[in-house]
Amino acid sequence: MSINQSFRFSVAPMMDWTDRHCRAFHRVLSRRALLYTEMVTANAVIFGDRERLLGFSEVEHPIAVQLGGSDPVALAKAAVICAAWGYDEINLNVGCPSDRVQGGNFGACLMRDPALVAACVAAMKAEVAIPVTVKCRLGVDDQDIEVALDALADAVLAAGADGLIVHARKAWLEGLSPKENRDIPPLDYDRVHRLKARLPDVPVSLNGGLLTLDAALAQLAHVDGVMLGRAAYQQPELLLRIDSLFFGEEDPHADAFAAVAAFEPYVAAHLAAGGRLHDITRHMLGLFTGRPGARAFRRHLATEGVKPEAGLYVLRAAVDEVRKAEERRSLVA
């Protein structure tokens, strides 16, 4: 199976952020963006609560699951389970620098062992028909990024990987926290461009430091896809223009107000099933960033949306704060 066409634009897997409610919200904003789960370990998939870890709504397609692990046998078992759940792609995490991930011998520390990563990819590819991709860094610690990135790419592609997503920074496993690893190591987009130029037939997506859609679009002159993380989460209104700018299709909604209205049935269903409003609205706080009333919108959701009895009326009232602020501005103008 070829890699999903939505590889052209994707929203990064982000721990504690890209859960099923976040993804359902992002899907309302874009029909085409490829969405990723939070990273879930292979053993958690095999032995854990699969509905909690893997459950998703059909509306979330196209959707990829990101797995963490370094045991080819366990990853193959987890891949079979994920494919059966209906995911469109399986992605192997070779980029997370956290101490917890290192302790489990997966994530960015695997950049040091391309042969093991290749064995993991081969084991998954042998068991599933859906695409298997790898998300990595340029290298770790004192590695030469010219050597390290090529070594990993060549190994996993020989094992059958269907695509590469490269966070265009090194990861420093000693001396920097995971948060610092997202900002302090310098970006090197040219290194990812060189990788793509060397591998013209391999889908390569660039991740890291892309804060605007213009910056992301510019990268498509050099790579096949772009992946936005914090920018997409913290300013989700950006996603309203993805379908037209990246796929030449009509955007799903005219503006954020229409998008929220379209999202209401999902919110209502979650509440009817006994869920809490905050489970969803915590992912919506950045929706109106930069617009009049954005602060009042966030404040209302942060104070009222967390209450156990909060209902859809809280979300509507928060949105009304933005409407009223924009009306006041138009009257002044």
Side-chain angles (χ1 to χ4, degrees):
M1 181 181 295
S2 62
I3 197 164
N4 194 294
Q5 292 181 352
S6 288
F7 190 76
R8 184 171 170 84
F9 182 94
S10 58
V11 179
M14 292 174 280
M15 292 299 293
D16 300 321
W17 285 5
T18 51
D19 65 15
R20 63 190 302 171
H21 303 308
C22 173
R23 298 189 307 265
F25 174 49
H26 286 176
R27 178 58 67 223
V28 168
L29 302 174
S30 168
R31 300 186 187 97
R32 293 297 306 273
L34 176 59
L35 305 179
Y36 282 79
T37 69
E38 303 169 85
M39 184 190 69
V40 58
T41 67
N43 283 338
V45 170
I46 296 168
F47 301 110
D49 181 346
R50 292 175 190 168
E51 175 57 36
R52 180 178 64 83
L53 296 167
L54 298 178
F56 66 92
S57 168
E58 286 298 308
V59 302
E60 294 174 45
H61 287 293
I63 179 173
V65 59
Q66 186 181 66
L67 293 178
S70 59
D71 177 354
V73 174
L75 282 165
K77 290 179 180 177
V80 169
I81 293 167
C82 292
W85 273 76
Y87 282 95
D88 299 300
E89 174 193 322
I90 293 169
N91 177 260
L92 181 62
N93 184 319
V94 188
C96 181
S98 77
D99 292 339
R100 181 175 66 84
V101 166
Q102 289 182 60
N105 191 34
F106 56 93
C109 65
L110 289 175
M111 293 290 301
R112 298 175 177 144
D113 197 344
L116 177 57
V117 181
C120 293
V121 170
M124 291 188 285
K125 286 292 295 181
E127 298 295 333
V128 301
I130 60 175
V132 174
T133 62
V134 173
K135 187 172 189 290
C136 65
R137 292 282 186 132
L138 301 180
V140 296
D141 297 337
D142 293 322
Q143 283 185 322
D144 180 337
I145 61 173
E146 299 298 329
V147 175
L149 185 58
D150 281 353
L152 184 82
D154 291 348
V156 300
L157 292 171
D162 295 285
L164 301 169
I165 303 161
V166 185
H167 186 145
R169 288 186 173 94
K170 262 190 175 184
W172 288 92
L173 305 180
E174 300 290 337
L176 292 181
S177 69
K179 182 179 184 300
E180 290 170 331
N181 263 300
R182 292 193 294 266
D183 297 302
I184 292 178
L187 288 161
D188 191 344
Y189 293 157
D190 288 343
R191 178 63 188 97
V192 184
H193 300 167
R194 290 195 295 277
L195 176 74
K196 174 58 192 175
R198 190 174 71 83
L199 302 169
D201 298 324
V202 175
V204 175
S205 179
L206 184 147
N207 171 232
L210 297 173
L211 302 180
T212 68
L213 296 185
D214 285 345
L217 281 166
Q219 289 301 318
L220 293 180
H222 308 283
V223 293
D224 304 288
V226 289
M227 174 181 277
L228 268 67
R230 284 170 290 167
Y233 186 88
Q234 294 169 345
Q235 301 178 63
E237 202 164 354
L238 292 176
L239 298 177
L240 277 172
R241 300 176 60 214
I242 295 306
D243 294 4
S244 58
L245 291 178
F246 288 81
F247 299 98
E249 299 179 3
E250 185 179 358
D251 292 319
H253 301 289
D255 57 27
F257 296 116
V260 174
F263 192 44
E264 282 193 5
Y266 180 91
V267 179
H270 176 67
L271 295 172
R276 296 183 59 170
L277 184 68
H278 180 65
D279 298 337
I280 297 174
T281 55
R282 72 185 187 94
H283 301 300
M284 302 176 68
L285 297 177
L287 181 59
F288 294 101
T289 295
R291 295 174 62 165
R295 183 177 300 177
F297 171 80
R298 292 192 300 270
R299 183 172 58 245
H300 192 81
L301 289 183
T303 57
E304 300 300 318
V306 298
K307 295 179 179 179
E309 71 279 7
L312 199 53
Y313 64 90
V314 172
L315 176 58
R316 290 170 176 165
V319 173
D320 282 343
E321 294 286 353
V322 183
R323 283 200 179 93
K324 289 184 290 187
E326 293 197 340
E327 288 171 2
R328 288 194 296 270
R329 171 173 285 192
S330 65
L331 289 173
V332 172

